[in-house]
Amino acid sequence: MTGSTRGPNDPRRRERILDAALDVIAEQGAIKVTFRKIADAAGVPLGSLTYYFDDMQHLLTDAFTRHAETVSTRYGALLEAARSPREAQDAVVEIICGKVWGTDHNLLLGYELYAFATRHPEVRAVMRSWMQASRDSLARHFDPLTARALDALIEGLSIHNSVDLRPTDRAEVAAIVGAVVDRAR
């Protein structure tokens, strides 16, 4: 297969498998993931999965780690770009209302990660690392307690907005973020 990214020397095959695993998790839930479903979604031979991953637990842990790192990078970049307290608050609003955390795909993966982590300690470590990265990004602009509160607010409002019949709009989110920050001063 000249020019194909699917050949045996495909340097991105492992990443494609992880991305496909995340897609399957988002579509069907972690409990229904199989090697075959992931291989089909990634367009790779079934044996590729066992070449890169010892078992399904290893694959899911790596997939959830990839997801957490991807979201954390986007999350952190918004906060790093903030040059004032006001811009930092605006970044928090964007994280909640924009496409960093609040996409349907990311939220589904977040739900799955939380549920899976409750029963799998190695995935719980992924969750803790993600939470710490989020708090560290927020701590560039806010004291540790406010960073922790904002981190919980980001996840909570994002989750609520995904199921609420009347999601909290951007102006309301901005007012809530402002109230949390002002209370901490």
Side-chain angles (χ1 to χ4, degrees):
M1 289 189 186
T2 306
S4 173
T5 60
R6 297 173 69 183
N9 295 321
D10 178 4
R12 287 221 355 96
R13 182 173 284 185
R14 185 176 190 284
E15 289 75 22
R16 278 202 344 265
I17 292 168
L18 291 173
D19 290 341
L22 291 170
D23 289 342
V24 174
I25 292 166
E27 290 170 16
Q28 300 181 20
I31 195 83
K32 293 186 178 182
V33 171
T34 65
F35 277 148
R36 184 169 308 285
K37 288 176 184 178
I38 294 169
D40 289 346
V44 301
L46 187 56
S48 291
L49 276 68
T50 56
Y51 175 79
Y52 291 106
F53 306 98
D54 296 333
D55 53 29
M56 184 59 73
Q57 181 69 40
H58 179 201
L59 193 156
L60 291 175
T61 300
D62 285 4
F64 281 130
T65 299
R66 182 175 177 84
H67 172 66
E69 289 172 352
T70 299
V71 173
S72 288
T73 298
R74 288 188 218 137
Y75 188 120
L78 280 171
L79 287 159
E80 190 172 314
R83 298 291 173 234
S84 69
R86 180 78 219 152
E87 287 180 9
Q89 283 182 233
D90 291 344
V92 171
V93 173
E94 180 58 26
I95 290 166
I96 296 168
C97 298
K99 300 300 180 194
V100 172
W101 170 239
T103 66
D104 290 343
H105 188 263
N106 284 344
L107 286 167
L108 284 169
L109 289 171
Y111 297 150
E112 290 295 327
L113 175 53
Y114 275 114
F116 202 74
T118 62
R119 291 187 173 86
H120 300 89
E122 55 281 351
V123 180
R124 203 170 303 137
V126 172
M127 195 73 234
R128 285 187 194 112
S129 177
W130 185 4
M131 288 168 42
Q132 190 59 54
S134 299
R135 291 174 188 166
D136 289 347
S137 292
L138 289 159
R140 291 182 183 124
H141 304 283
F142 307 103
D143 67 84
L145 186 59
T146 303
R148 189 179 186 106
L150 289 171
D151 184 43
L153 179 69
I154 288 166
E155 290 188 31
L157 274 176
S158 298
I159 290 168
H160 282 224
N161 278 348
S162 74
V163 296
D164 201 329
L165 292 175
R166 194 192 73 71
T168 309
D169 68 27
R170 188 175 283 269
E172 293 167 328
V173 169
I176 295 167
V177 169
V180 170
V181 172
D182 288 347
R183 178 85 173 158
R185 290 184 184 147

